[in-house]
Every structure is written in structure tokens, then in C-alpha cells.
Amino acid sequence: MPNATVLVVDDEALIRWSLTERLKSDGYNVLEADTGKAALERLADGVDLVLLDYRLPDTDGVTILRTIKELDQDILVILLTAYASVDTAVEAMKLGAYHFANKPFNLDEVSALVERALETTRLRREVRQFRTSAARPYSLQHIVGASPAVTELRHLVARVAVSPSSTVLLTGESGTGKDLVAKIIHYTSDRAARPFMNITCSALPEQLLESELFGHERGAFTDARLQKKGLLETADGGTVFLDEIGEMTPGLQAKLLRFLEEKSFKRVGGSTDIRVDARVIAATNRNLEEEVARSQFRSDLYYRLNVLPIAMPSLRAHPEDIPLLVEYFIDGFNTEFRKRVLGATPAAYRALQQYGWPGNVRELRNLIERSMLLSDHDRLDAKDFPVMAGAQTVSDEIALPANGIDLETLERSLVVQALRRCGGNQTRAGALLGLNRDQIRYRIEKFALTPAQ
Ligand SMILES: Nc1ncnc2c1ncn2[C@@H]1O[C@H](COP(=O)(O)OP(=O)(O)OP(=O)(O)O)[C@@H](O)[C@H]1O
Ligand SMILES: [Mg+2]
């Protein structure tokens, strides 16, 4: 790890000097401290690894080790000691020391140990990143749907991903896939190997959100014991996803705008400009244009964010994708729950297409998950969807009255009812009856129905 910072803690100047010289020539930034107190103070400058003498004038190495690990688990500590007892070694390891080096030590050995320790962290970080991306692979085919609306969405996402620095604004109701699309954009762009950082702007009070985003210097406010990098800095080379951007306070809106314009910012309490190359994807389920008109959202920030707008369709706008989505979720939950559900019954599909889906695809997904957990059928049935109990469903078989029935009249009546319920929308009326557009149009003509009916 070039650029890593190593802190050398020893009260003997000669030892400090020899270690420092060697580590500097190995290419690290090196800080020094001669007491435990000084060591803890230096941590604030951002340290990756500490070479820690066990015997210190003001305290012992194990106490410092414990404090370091309390402050930041990720800082590596190698304990140097001339007096290693097995007990100390065991205790130090338990507390999270990376290694022990016995004094007098050989500089080559210490140098190799430091290199290996830092390499381990690098690998650990890489594995962590790889695991998250391997466990959740995000590619275009994870946007499921064959309707024109979803096909267009997939094309748009693909185009946005290859323009890897422009700001993206995702708008749409809750549950329409904004999170999903943000991740797909990141993981199919050139930035995929770099971090994807995600923050919900409504989840934190203004000050906290500010320091999460921009980081802070030590002492910037009461709890700022150490310097901390913000999400923008951590995401360098990658993507920052700002969810619920509509909730951001005016003060932060101004700071974000400055970052978008200048690509640089200052940490809270800091004076140096930090340049960062992070793509910003923002999302909201509010109507930002209205917020701008009501002066709730800065218009300049809105235009800056809206470089590449993506409007997510509500599920009501593409009910024809419901069967595909249902199959996709059934497949996923079959694997997850070790089940073998084959699909859903025609009555179930009709019920699903009839429903209004205020919670969009998320609600559909949750519904399939719940019904798969609760039912043992090969095929999910309308009866398995308790939330839709309000929605009337008809069983596959309608009992034929004893004196028979006029099928044409019944058919006409059902078509008329479906059209009425859907405000004359032929596609949706057709979906209620399990008919495609051509089939419902044919019947509308056959029965000479006018749209008003
Ligand atoms: N077209 C789609 N194909 C497959 N899965 C989808 C699709 N759209 C949404 N989903 C799934 O639906 C769920 C909800 O989506 P997501 O969390 O991205 O919604 P959101 O728009 O971010 O909602 P909110 O505004 O509430 O945060 C997720 O499990 C997501 O994977
Ligand atoms: Mg979301």
C-alpha cells in the first residue's frame, strides 16, 4: 500500500530514527511519537499502521493498543518488545494486535512485516468489496420487464452508465427501483471497481450529514476526536448515491452545489481544498420542480443535478410486466428458501394485474416473498395474497346456472365493467380480463362499445 502512513512509537530516539529512515525509504509516510500520549495525538492525522513499543514512559503498549482499537478497529498495530511474555502476547493478540516483533529486531524483518500487514488490509478491503459485488451482481438484466416503459429505462441506464461522470437524477415513486438503478449504473460503469457509497439525506440531522459527506478535522466539533474522511473522499473514483435529496437542508444544498461545480470541498473545520473525482447520483420521490417553484429546493442545484434525468415508471404504468416480475421473484425466492414453486395460477395473475400497487415493485416483491413463505402450493394462488383481499377475485370456475347463460351477454357485461373500472384505459381493462390489447379491442368493436362505456 503506497501512501500508507505508519506511526512509530518508541521512547528511544535511536530506534525511532532507524525505523523511520527505513520505512521512509520503503515509501511510507512516517510519523513519530515518544510517549503513549503523543502517540494517541498523532492518530488524529490519519494512521494506517502503528509500530508500538511495549515499554513507554507514561503507560504500556497494551493500554495504548486497547485505546487505538477502540478508536478505530482498522488501524493495524505491531507491538515491539524486548520483554515478551506469553501472557502479554496472548492478551495483545486478543486485543487485536496484528503481530509481535521481538527486540532487538532486524530492520528487514520489520519492513517485511509492515508490508505484509498493509497488504493484508488491502486484500481484506478488496475481498469485502468483491464479496458485496459478487453477492449482489448488478447488471442491466436485473431490471426486469418487457414493456416499452421498462425497455426504454434499460436503454437509458445503459447510456448513462457509459458517460461515467455526469450527475444523474432519479425520480419516481417509492419502490420503483431507484436504488437498484443507482447500483446498476455504478457497477456497469468504468467506476465499478471503486467504491459505491450510499447515504439517505433524510436519515441524519444537518450537521451529522455534513460531516458524513464532507468529513471533518479533529476538533471541528465536540465529538470530533479524530480526523475523519467523508463519503465523498472515500468514494474517490467511484459513485456517491444521495438518496432522498429533496430532504436536504438549504445550507447543505449550497455546499453540495459548490462540490458539483468545483469538484473539490473542505472538510468540516478544515481549510485545505480536497479534490475528489466522485460521480453523484441523486434520487427523490418528491417532485423537485415543484419544490423549486415553492423555493424549498435551490433551482441552481436542481439544474446541476438534472444533467441526466431518469424518471422511474410506476408499476401501474406497466402492469403487463407483472407476470415477468412475479416469475423473476419466484425464481429468486425458490433458491433462497429452497422451494420449488412453479409459478402462479391465472386467477392469481389476474388479481395481481387488477391491484393498484401503491408500493410499486417493492410491494410486489414483498407479496411474493410472504406468500412463498406461507404457502405450500406448487402455484401461488390469489388466496395466497392476503393484502389483496379487498380486491375481488373470481375462482377459475364460475358455476353454470341450471337454466344456462347467454355467454355473449356475460362477456359484454364483463368488458363494460372492466372498461369502467379502468376509466376507459383499454390496456388495463384487458389486463383485468386476461386479454392483450388486440383481444380487448376486438371485443370493444364486436360489442360496439364507445370509450365512455
Ligand atoms: N424493474 C425491476 N426489476 C426487478 N426488480 C425491481 C425492479 N424495480 C424494482 N425492483 C426491486 O424492487 C425493490 C424496491 O426497489 P428500490 O429499493 O430500488 O426502490 P426505490 O425506488 O429506491 O424506493 P424508495 O423511494 O422507497 O427508496 C428492490 O428489491 C428492487 O430490486
Ligand atoms: Mg430507495
Side-chain angles (χ1 to χ4, degrees), residues 23 26 28 49 51 76-80 98-102 105-120:
L23 293 170
D26 288 344
Y28 304 112
L49 184 145
L51 281 175
L76 295 162
V77 179
I78 296 174
L79 213 58
L80 307 171
Y98 175 80
H99 216 287
F100 244 87
N102 282 323
F105 45 74
N106 168 323
L107 277 178
D108 287 337
E109 275 171 25
V110 174
S111 158
L113 196 54
V114 167
E115 189 185 339
R116 223 181 315 134
L118 289 169
E119 177 68 5
T120 320

Side-chain angles (χ1 to χ4, degrees), residues 142-145 150 153 172-181 243-244 285 318 325 328-329 361-362 365:
H142 290 92
I143 304 175
V144 175
V150 173
L153 174 69
E173 292 175 21
S174 181
T176 47
K178 297 186 291 297
D179 274 71
L180 177 70
V181 162
D243 206 355
E244 300 189 26
N285 47 31
H318 58 110
L325 283 160
Y328 173 71
F329 292 134
V361 182
R362 177 184 295 120
R365 184 177 184 277

Side-chain angles (χ1 to χ4, degrees), residues 397-442:
E397 277 184 39
I398 295 178
L400 179 64
N403 53 349
I405 199 168
D406 184 315
L407 198 54
E408 287 280 301
T409 311
L410 180 66
E411 188 180 353
R412 181 179 196 281
S413 159
L414 289 172
V415 172
V416 169
Q417 287 181 53
L419 281 167
R420 266 196 208 131
R421 191 174 304 163
C422 299
N425 181 319
Q426 300 182 1
T427 313
R428 291 188 51 207
L432 287 184
L433 301 168
L435 302 175
N436 66 27
R437 255 223 323 242
D438 288 340
Q439 291 167 328
I440 183 93
R441 281 209 181 128
Y442 163 76

Side-chain angles (χ1 to χ4, degrees), residues 17-295:
W17 177 82
S18 61
L19 283 171
T20 303
E21 288 305 302
R22 174 57 191 254
L23 293 170
K24 274 189 180 157
S25 76
D26 288 344
Y28 304 112
N29 307 317
V30 187
L31 305 172
E32 295 178 47
D34 57 355
T35 61
K37 185 164 171 287
L40 293 179
E41 281 168 10
R42 301 317 299 264
L43 285 184
D45 301 324
V47 167
D48 299 293
L49 184 145
V50 184
L51 281 175
L52 182 61
D53 186 21
Y54 180 70
R55 282 257 168 117
L56 291 167
D58 54 343
T59 175
D60 64 87
V62 171
T63 311
I64 298 294
L65 167 63
R66 188 179 292 125
T67 316
I68 292 176
K69 289 289 164 179
E70 271 167 21
L71 286 170
D72 187 345
Q73 281 285 342
D74 283 348
I75 299 177
L76 295 162
V77 179
I78 296 174
L79 213 58
L80 307 171
T81 177
Y83 323 91
S85 73
V86 174
D87 285 351
T88 337
V90 170
E91 192 188 353
M93 289 301 175
K94 267 195 205 148
L95 287 172
Y98 175 80
H99 216 287
F100 244 87
N102 282 323
K103 280 179 166 181
F105 45 74
N106 168 323
L107 277 178
D108 287 337
E109 275 171 25
V110 174
S111 158
L113 196 54
V114 167
E115 189 185 339
R116 223 181 315 134
L118 289 169
E119 177 68 5
T120 320
T121 331
R122 195 181 60 77
L123 287 177
R124 199 193 299 146
R125 281 186 197 145
E126 252 180 40
V127 168
R128 223 186 267 159
Q129 170 121 19
F130 176 75
R131 236 189 243 140
T132 28
S133 53
R136 292 184 256 140
Y138 291 106
S139 60
L140 283 174
Q141 76 251 28
H142 290 92
I143 304 175
V144 175
S147 61
V150 173
T151 309
E152 170 60 24
L153 174 69
R154 256 194 313 271
H155 287 153
L156 190 55
V157 169
R159 284 202 302 275
V160 165
V162 295
S163 59
S165 33
S166 312
T167 309
V168 182
L169 182 62
L170 297 169
T171 54
E173 292 175 21
S174 181
T176 47
K178 297 186 291 297
D179 274 71
L180 177 70
V181 162
K183 287 175 187 145
I184 293 174
I185 291 174
H186 172 77
Y187 287 109
T188 57
S189 77
D190 288 348
R191 297 174 173 269
R194 307 289 305 153
F196 175 86
M197 304 303 291
N198 178 340
I199 194 161
T200 304
C201 301
S202 60
L204 296 173
E206 177 171 9
Q207 262 201 341
L208 261 181
L209 180 60
E210 180 176 7
S211 81
E212 281 296 311
L213 269 180
F214 299 103
H216 59 71
E217 296 295 342
R218 174 164 65 131
F221 45 87
T222 324
D223 291 334
R225 291 172 72 189
L226 300 183
Q227 176 211 75
K228 195 182 140 198
K229 287 184 182 164
L231 289 187
L232 290 174
E233 235 174 306
T234 317
D236 194 15
T239 305
V240 175
F241 178 44
L242 302 175
D243 206 355
E244 300 189 26
I245 188 90
E247 321 294 316
M248 199 177 248
T249 55
L252 276 185
Q253 289 178 28
K255 288 186 177 150
L256 178 62
L257 178 65
R258 204 171 316 129
F259 168 69
L260 291 173
E261 279 173 349
E262 294 165 14
K263 300 281 167 226
S264 73
F265 60 90
K266 295 184 174 61
R267 296 197 190 111
V268 177
S271 53
T272 35
D273 283 314
I274 295 167
R275 284 198 74 76
V276 155
D277 164 35
R279 172 187 232 176
V280 170
I281 301 181
T284 180
N285 47 31
R286 291 201 184 188
N287 182 334
L288 280 193
E289 269 173 52
E290 270 173 24
E291 303 287 310
V292 168
R294 289 173 42 227
S295 306

Side-chain angles (χ1 to χ4, degrees), residues 331-357:
D331 276 354
F333 291 125
N334 270 339
T335 314
E336 196 173 322
F337 304 152
R338 294 167 192 270
K339 290 227 170 189
R340 277 203 219 136
V341 174
L342 300 172
T345 63
Y349 281 124
R350 276 199 296 278
L352 293 170
Q353 286 187 308
Q354 199 170 335
Y355 181 64
W357 301 112

Side-chain angles (χ1 to χ4, degrees), residues 10-21:
D10 203 306
D11 55 335
E12 279 181 59
L14 193 60
I15 292 185
R16 271 202 323 274
W17 177 82
S18 61
L19 283 171
T20 303
E21 288 305 302

